[in-house]
Amino acid sequence: MSRTIAGSGRPGRLAKGHPTLNGSRRLRISLLAVTTAALLGSGVTATAATPGAQPAPAGPKPAADLPADAPVERLIVGYEKKAAETNSDAEAKKDAAAKGRKAGESLTFERRLGTGAALVDLGDDLEGGSLKDVIDAFEADPDVAYVSRDTRMYAMAGPDDTHYSSQWDLFESTAGMNVENAWAGGVSGQGVNVAVIDTGYVAHSDLAGNIVPGYDFISDAWNARDSNGRDSNPADPGDWTTANECYSGSQPSTSSWHGTHVAGTIAAVTGNGKGIAGIAYDATVQPVRVLGRCGGSTADIADAIVWASGGYVPGVPVNSDPADVINLSLGGSGACQTVTQQAIDGAVSRGTTVVVAAGNANVNASGFTPANCSHVINVAAGDREGNRASYSNYGTSVDITAPGGETAYGPANGILSTLNGSTTSPGTETYKAYQGTSMATPHIAGLAALMYDKDPAITPSRVESLIKNNARPLPGSCSGGCGAGLADAARTLGALGGGTDPEPEPDPTGKTFTNSEDWTVPDGDGRYVYSNVQVSGVSGYAPSDLRVAVDIKHTYRGDLKVQLVAPNGALFTLKNSSAYDSADNVLATYTVNASSVLASGTWQLRVTDVYRGDTGYIDSWSLTF
């Protein structure tokens, strides 16, 4: 089999195995968040990480500031296989001394590394021009394959938020949503806006930094409890009620501060040494108030959906910051009303993902709205053991399950989030554990925000399919139907090229075609490599959920652009390059809508390394129909 490497002018197979490092090395945005670094391989020093951009953290800030880069004390030098220094310590010692004399420094060979590279001691600390001269001396030698600094690494702390250890829903392996590993892939929700259509927002210092202007859509002044109807202030004055106030026989209730609790799960400020960690801790939350004293009206909720997604609502200023994701932790019994469905359809058509709660009545969700509306992600609740929570609705309309908690077994088993301590009007801010599908829903809204961060062009349908296709089985029991399983943030982000969990196993019922040959990826020189899979025996068109499992070994996966080429030439981008994704390897399963392409024929995985300095190869890949 031959293949053409774009720009090479000839067909041919690249050398198998790990290629050597060569050429210039660009600045990396690492987990240590270094903002100034030497560009090893060229000796150029850069003082800006990325033009016009701030380095994005790969996770919440650690508990203490990371130490500054220590002066470089050693270099790691890799030699070409043919070089004498590759196998001889004596020759490596002589070479180090010779390179030192050339650069005007005293260098010594210290030891051989397990990889076969030589560790060279620089003597006195070198910086600036002196270090550049030493690097240049090694790089000028054709027997040197690569040279890099022996940089000092530091342990990365988890979030320093004081209550983070109580957020089992984010990190526990049994029934948590594997959020920490999603953060490790470099996503935080930055640049993504999530509208929380709920009771509004009560001031809280663990949320204030991520709140953007919203709107109060409660049209009835009595219901709103703010002495007027709709206005631009979505502040929550409290939704407490007295006996018989809502209807004859209604019971009194205290203020829930429900919208603020939901918002905290999505985007509480993280790494600030207090409180809790939000799932999409760099996203913004747009509070849209629809629930007040005695609940809210369908009309107000429909208008809020339209406005939040960037649509026009008469008499209301246009939303200057339309939401990428809408969270609807609300509902009631009955069929999906046409006005609600139209509002949802309009939001989805504008690119907004709508996430809704399945309901808390322990019955089939088909009888609850908006959970039974189309084009939404309907979320059931799981408990800390991985069972369907005792109160959660269920059924075929449920798309996914997320942690919702079960406080009947103690507050430690609920979902801890931001709240206010007053039972009526706003008082002192606090934190409290709640349970409910209302708490499960913002877990999925937060995950969706991470997905929009990774791929701003992602569509609502792809958000839903990726979350469902990368869920893991509920470890406990579920009667009645819990959708695709328990949402897994890292697996889902892995399908977009982020996160650190391996991809889920391919569907065993599908027909899978695999290429396990190793093909070296050219290192940042404008060429691409491709690997073919020949598909036969599959009639008709490919499915709308074609699964593409990819295993690419690479030392900096952010360098890579990965594409699938169909037999008719149609091109599907599976993963774009990203300067912020410094993790190793691409291990992911992508879902592609290939329903317009005939299944049989030659499919191609095309991989391009867009930056020089890190290398790798296609290990294997497969298609599951």
Side-chain angles (χ1 to χ4, degrees), residues 125-402:
D125 296 337
L126 298 179
E127 296 179 351
S130 299
L131 179 59
K132 177 183 181 301
D133 290 342
V134 172
I135 293 170
D136 285 348
F138 277 105
E139 290 204 322
D141 185 346
D143 285 340
V144 173
Y146 66 89
V147 57
S148 61
R149 296 182 300 166
D150 182 22
T151 53
R152 188 171 298 276
M153 299 292 171
Y154 303 92
M156 289 295 291
D160 64 348
D161 306 82
T162 52
H163 298 315
Y164 181 69
S165 62
S166 298
Q167 292 183 267
W168 61 267
D169 46 313
L170 303 192
F171 61 83
E172 282 192 358
S173 59
T174 300
M177 214 173 73
N178 203 5
V179 174
E180 281 189 347
N181 284 322
W183 288 336
V187 290
S188 61
Q190 190 169 37
V192 180
N193 187 29
V194 182
V196 174
I197 299 179
D198 212 291
T199 64
Y201 164 68
V202 63
H204 201 292
S205 61
D206 212 8
L207 263 174
N210 287 338
I211 298 294
V212 297
Y215 208 85
D216 181 357
F217 273 88
I218 301 178
S219 53
D220 182 85
W222 182 87
N223 182 232
R225 190 179 260 131
D226 60 2
S227 301
N228 57 21
R230 292 181 173 181
D231 57 48
S232 60
N233 181 9
D236 186 353
D239 58 354
W240 80 94
T241 64
T242 59
N244 300 307
E245 191 172 28
C246 298
Y247 54 85
S248 178
S250 68
Q251 298 299 306
S253 64
T254 60
S255 289
S256 66
W257 315 112
H258 190 271
T260 300
H261 196 282
V262 168
T265 297
I266 295 169
V269 177
T270 299
N272 58 347
K274 64 178 294 182
I276 64 164
I279 292 171
Y281 56 85
D282 277 337
T284 55
V285 168
Q286 185 171 65
V288 183
R289 188 168 180 246
V290 296
L291 302 178
R293 177 165 42 186
C294 303
S297 75
T298 296
D300 287 347
I301 292 167
D303 274 354
I305 294 169
V306 172
W307 181 85
S309 60
Y312 172 68
V313 176
V316 178
V318 174
N319 184 2
S320 61
D321 190 13
D324 302 291
V325 182
I326 287 175
N327 187 101
L328 289 168
S329 289
L330 50 78
S333 60
C336 178
Q337 295 190 36
T338 300
V339 66
T340 306
Q341 188 63 66
Q342 289 176 338
I344 290 169
D345 290 347
V348 171
S349 73
R350 289 184 285 274
T352 302
T353 294
V354 181
V355 188
V356 306
N360 299 332
N362 188 28
V363 298
N364 197 302
S366 62
F368 279 71
T369 184
N372 54 13
C373 295
S374 301
H375 307 138
V376 300
I377 302 177
N378 185 11
V379 186
D383 67 16
R384 195 169 183 176
E385 303 303 319
N387 307 295
R388 176 173 67 83
S390 60
Y391 53 79
S392 178
N393 286 355
Y394 50 81
T396 57
S397 67
V398 171
D399 293 302
I400 196 71
T401 300

Side-chain angles (χ1 to χ4, degrees), residues 34-72:
V34 178
T35 57
T36 304
L39 301 187
L40 298 183
S42 68
V44 177
T45 299
T47 57
T50 306
Q54 291 290 331
K61 292 190 293 186
D65 289 338
L66 291 166
D69 266 1
V72 178

Side-chain angles (χ1 to χ4, degrees), residues 451-466:
M451 298 169 74
Y452 276 91
D453 178 2
K454 193 68 182 179
D455 181 6
I458 197 168
T459 62
S461 61
R462 189 161 188 242
V463 170
E464 179 179 350
S465 65
L466 285 173

Side-chain angles (χ1 to χ4, degrees), residues 420-491:
N420 193 274
S422 173
T423 58
T424 53
S425 300
T428 304
E429 70 179 40
T430 188
Y431 302 85
K432 188 175 180 179
Y434 275 3
Q435 68 174 25
T437 55
S438 282
M439 284 59 256
T441 304
H443 284 77
I444 300 302
L447 173 54
L450 297 181
M451 298 169 74
Y452 276 91
D453 178 2
K454 193 68 182 179
D455 181 6
I458 197 168
T459 62
S461 61
R462 189 161 188 242
V463 170
E464 179 179 350
S465 65
L466 285 173
I467 290 174
K468 291 162 69 171
N469 290 342
N470 291 282
R472 62 186 197 266
L474 281 167
S477 63
C478 172
S479 58
C482 288
L486 183 64
D488 188 301
R491 288 187 176 188

